[in-house]
Amino acid sequence: MTHRTRRVVVTQRFFDEAAIAYLQAEGCEVAIADLPAGQADGGLDHDQLVRLLAGAQGWIVGHARVTRFLLSALPELAIVSRRGVGYERVDLEAAAELGRVVTIAAGGNDASVADQAIGMMIALGRRFREAQAQMEAGAWSILTGTDLYRKTVGVVGLGRIGGSVVRRLSGFEARVLVATSRPDADYAARTGVRFVDLEEVLEQSDYVTLHAPLTPATRHMIDARALARMRSGAFVINTARGGLVSDRDLLAALEAGHLGGAGLDVFESESDPAMRPVTEALIARPDVVAAPHAGASTREGLARTNMIAARCVVAVLNGQDPPPECVVADGRRTKVPTA
């Protein structure tokens, strides 16, 4: 069904033709931001965003900061649709008060990020990075690693991605410990996981993988004290949010030889440029496997999240409700949900 033309601006890279065609079929004029190579929308300032979004009713956004000031400057903007699941960079209270809707692409990237977390566990345990570096240098000596098979894995946070990781771990016959604010006895009975507190996860796990949102309560949940509680030689995997881990403390623990290594897709320097030297020191280490916040960036994962984000935009512009699991603020109902 075709509707009057509405302007939708996309400030994310890799927005595919199927999602564009869907928006156009629904009467939307689609504008893809032409960002310089290597720049993401998180690097755009207020004035740049205002120019890009002038006259837009819908915005499909990546990591740009969505402030009260910005929303006030864009009175026609009805929906901010994140092609992702985090929303800590969006002022939800301001969005609700100003009558806007904010959505996330719930369920679109669960499999992609879970695959990455498992892949990092295997790469760290089997020392893939170190082995290839030695071979490139001409040394073909064998480095002994460690299995994921039947190891103890601590999963911190049991949302959609954490649950996807738990399902994958069953194939490795892993003993799974879960730390979450919402333990579920039925889930434990079905899956065989044990719900424990964070301290027990840290003390017993061979691998600790983080899948929690970044909030004031979770910031630096993995700090020097937490790292000291971990088993000698254990691994930390963070594919969730920079800031859950104190990167400076993690670097110190690796330098001291306390940990076996770390798998990192997110870094504090993403939001704090002053932390860039710490990030560079981490990614230079042979016991660190790193990626540039790319956990959701598979062809399949991006296609799923692009379409979810597009469908949320169309629903709001048509005066309808997006899927409830995607809505994090709905100013049409003057309600701000809790994280």
Side-chain angles (χ1 to χ4, degrees):
M1 180 177 182
T2 303
H3 304 271
R4 67 180 180 84
T5 300
R6 286 78 57 94
R7 186 166 189 260
V8 176
V9 174
V10 181
T11 58
Q12 273 281 45
R13 296 184 184 279
F14 312 116
F15 199 73
D16 63 287
E17 292 299 325
I20 293 172
Y22 169 76
L23 287 167
Q24 291 172 337
E26 291 291 332
C28 297
E29 171 196 327
V30 182
I32 309 293
D34 184 17
L35 301 178
Q39 182 177 5
D41 61 3
L44 299 174
D45 63 26
H46 172 86
D47 291 340
Q48 290 172 309
L49 288 170
V50 169
R51 286 195 293 272
L52 281 171
L53 295 163
Q57 290 78 46
W59 179 17
I60 295 176
V61 61
H63 294 94
R65 292 198 177 277
V66 185
T67 65
R68 182 183 295 272
F69 186 37
L70 178 63
L71 291 171
S72 297
L74 300 167
E76 295 182 60
L77 189 65
I79 175 169
V80 176
S81 181
R82 275 229 63 230
R83 190 191 69 184
V85 295
Y87 48 88
E88 67 274 2
R89 291 177 176 237
V90 182
D91 188 334
L92 297 183
E93 182 177 0
E97 289 179 3
L98 294 170
R100 317 303 171 83
V101 179
V102 181
T103 60
I104 59 174
N109 63 14
D110 305 354
S112 304
V113 179
D115 284 356
Q116 187 199 46
I118 297 293
M120 284 183 162
M121 292 180 205
I122 295 170
L124 288 165
R126 298 305 301 269
R127 302 173 70 180
F128 287 167
R129 178 177 178 177
E130 295 169 82
Q132 183 163 344
Q134 280 199 176
M135 293 175 72
E136 289 172 350
W140 283 52
S141 56
I142 294 173
L143 299 176
T144 56
T146 187
D147 289 337
L148 180 55
Y149 174 62
R150 292 190 173 177
K151 288 298 189 294
T152 298
V153 181
V155 178
V156 181
L158 194 64
R160 289 177 295 269
I161 295 172
S164 294
V165 170
V166 169
R167 289 194 295 275
R168 284 156 174 75
L169 287 169
S170 66
F172 294 90
E173 299 180 27
R175 172 177 177 245
V176 180
L177 306 178
V178 176
T180 176
S181 59
R182 299 173 183 171
D184 183 333
D186 291 339
Y187 180 87
R190 290 196 312 273
T191 62
V193 308
R194 283 186 55 219
F195 287 100
V196 299
D197 59 23
L198 179 60
E199 287 70 23
E200 190 168 349
V201 162
L202 296 171
E203 291 168 358
Q204 295 195 26
S205 298
D206 301 296
Y207 299 82
V208 174
T209 181
L210 306 179
H211 303 286
L214 180 62
T215 67
T218 61
R219 181 173 293 278
H220 286 184
M221 67 190 307
I222 305 300
D223 58 8
R225 178 177 172 276
L227 292 164
R229 297 184 77 113
M230 291 182 64
R231 289 181 172 183
S232 177
F235 302 97
V236 174
I237 295 89
N238 186 9
T239 58
R241 284 291 179 266
L244 292 176
V245 176
S246 168
D247 286 354
R248 197 180 304 279
D249 291 347
L250 175 61
L251 178 61
L254 290 167
E255 289 175 338
H258 176 58
L259 297 179
L264 304 171
D265 188 43
V266 290
F267 301 88
E268 288 190 270
S269 60
E270 292 177 76
S271 58
D272 181 2
M275 290 293 293
R276 184 73 182 186
V278 176
T279 296
E280 291 173 351
L282 283 167
I283 64 178
R285 293 188 58 84
D287 53 3
V288 170
V289 174
H293 205 147
S297 296
T298 64
R299 290 186 295 273
E300 299 85 355
L302 289 170
R304 290 189 296 266
T305 52
N306 284 341
M307 191 59 76
I308 293 170
R311 290 187 182 280
C312 286
V313 166
V314 168
V316 171
L317 297 187
N318 287 348
Q320 300 165 351
D321 292 331
E325 66 273 16
C326 294
V327 179
V328 292
D330 191 342
R332 301 174 302 178
R333 292 164 175 75
T334 64
K335 178 183 177 182
V336 184
T338 56

